[in-house]
Amino acid sequence: MRRLLPDPGPTSVSEQLETYRPWEEPREERPFVALNFAATVDGRATIGGVSGPIGSETDTAMLAGLRKRFDAVMIGAGTMRAERYGRLVAKDETWERRRQAGLPPEPLMVLVSGRLDLPWDAPLFTEGGGEVLVFTSSEAEPPETATTVQVVRHEGAVNLVEALRHLREERGVRALLSEGGPHLHDQMQADGLVDDLFLTIAPKLSGGEAPRILEGPLPAVAELELAWLLEQDGELFARYRRA
Ligand SMILES: NC(=O)c1ccc[n+]([C@@H]2O[C@H](COP(=O)([O-])OP(=O)(O)OC[C@H]3O[C@@H](n4cnc5c(N)ncnc54)[C@H](OP(=O)(O)O)[C@@H]3O)[C@@H](O)[C@H]2O)c1
């Protein structure tokens, strides 16, 4: 892997993330927030309805490396339904490294859902271990699952500003990685809740009706600064910061 910006030279996913310490930068009323997305050159965020075929193994390694550096990971219900998540971090030496860095052994998994229509048979719920926190505007009760699921209810729709305040103040979350999807992303950008945007641009064109990384309107154009740009086999790994 090459670092193109800043300080051009050879690097690797682990070397690049080594000094990335988002848990040291919590905001006053919310965690530090990073978003991660992969897109094709024509800006599509899915191929065949899922994100997996977009990026390479290096992209997967970047996502896995990022997950190791956050207290919590958040996704919208649409992403959970499409991607059917399992546990976030395998129990290996990673747990000890996380402990040494002052992080919980496993990141808290946070879901945002209006209808609480979630794939309860997905490994995240059936494997047990870890902890899932669901923000929802539904009054339905989640079913019994092997994994502990806690529910926080908001009236009407989930208020993301309040949800992030809850994570910071009630759950001690200092750094939150959001893995999308596009509808959750627009609201987070519109509410000014995103500090870093990690974007993988895969050297592919897919066309069609697939969503982009951000689907709804924003109240104003968000200006970004490029914090780093990496390249491997024609795939670009950008990290942007809100200007
Ligand atoms: N390329 C990538 O990196 C990437 C990353 C993530 C996802 N994706 C793809 O994106 C697609 C999913 O897109 P999406 O936009 O539907 O996903 P999404 O943003 O994950 O989910 C949207 C859903 O989240 C819930 N939600 C969001 N904001 C809410 C709020 N304020 N209050 C209550 N509920 C809220 C609603 O759930 P309910 O329906 O339960 O009401 C809504 O339908 C999938 O195909 C996935 O593969 C791609």
Side-chain angles (χ1 to χ4, degrees), residues 38 45-46 49 76-79 81 83 113-115 158 179 181-184 187:
T46 61
T79 298
R81 286 190 286 265
E83 309 280 348
S113 172
R115 298 173 285 138
V158 174
E179 300 182 7
H183 285 100
L184 189 60
Q187 297 168 65

Side-chain angles (χ1 to χ4, degrees), residues 134-151:
V134 186
F135 290 98
T136 186
S137 43
S138 165
E139 288 181 3
E141 287 298 328
E144 283 284 308
T145 47
T147 306
T148 305
V149 176
Q150 292 185 336
V151 176

Side-chain angles (χ1 to χ4, degrees), residues 36-39 44-46 49-52 54 75-83 85 112-118 135-137 156-160 179-185 187 211 213 215:
N36 184 76
F37 273 100
R44 309 296 166 167
T46 61
V50 288
S51 58
I54 297 175
I75 55 171
T79 298
M80 185 62 203
R81 286 190 286 265
E83 309 280 348
Y85 273 53
V112 179
S113 172
R115 298 173 285 138
L116 215 59
D117 172 21
L118 295 168
F135 290 98
T136 186
S137 43
V158 174
N159 178 323
L160 294 172
E179 300 182 7
H183 285 100
L184 189 60
H185 187 198
Q187 297 168 65
I213 64 166
E215 278 292 284

Side-chain angles (χ1 to χ4, degrees), residues 20 25-26 28 62-63 69 76-77 83 87 90 101 104 110 119 150 164 173-174 197 212 221-222 229 234 241:
Y20 184 63
E25 293 188 63
E28 205 165 305
M62 180 66 83
L63 180 59
R69 310 189 78 75
E83 309 280 348
R87 283 173 86 169
V110 182
Q150 292 185 336
L164 265 58
V173 174
R174 300 158 299 172
L197 172 62
R212 286 159 293 185
V221 171
L229 184 64
R241 294 214 106 165

Side-chain angles (χ1 to χ4, degrees), residues 21 32 44 53 91 114 117 123 134 146 153 161 180 189 194 213 220 242:
R21 300 171 73 86
F32 180 92
R44 309 296 166 167
K91 186 175 179 176
D117 172 21
V134 186
R153 293 179 210 279
V161 174
Q189 290 288 1
V194 181
I213 64 166
R242 262 313 260 265

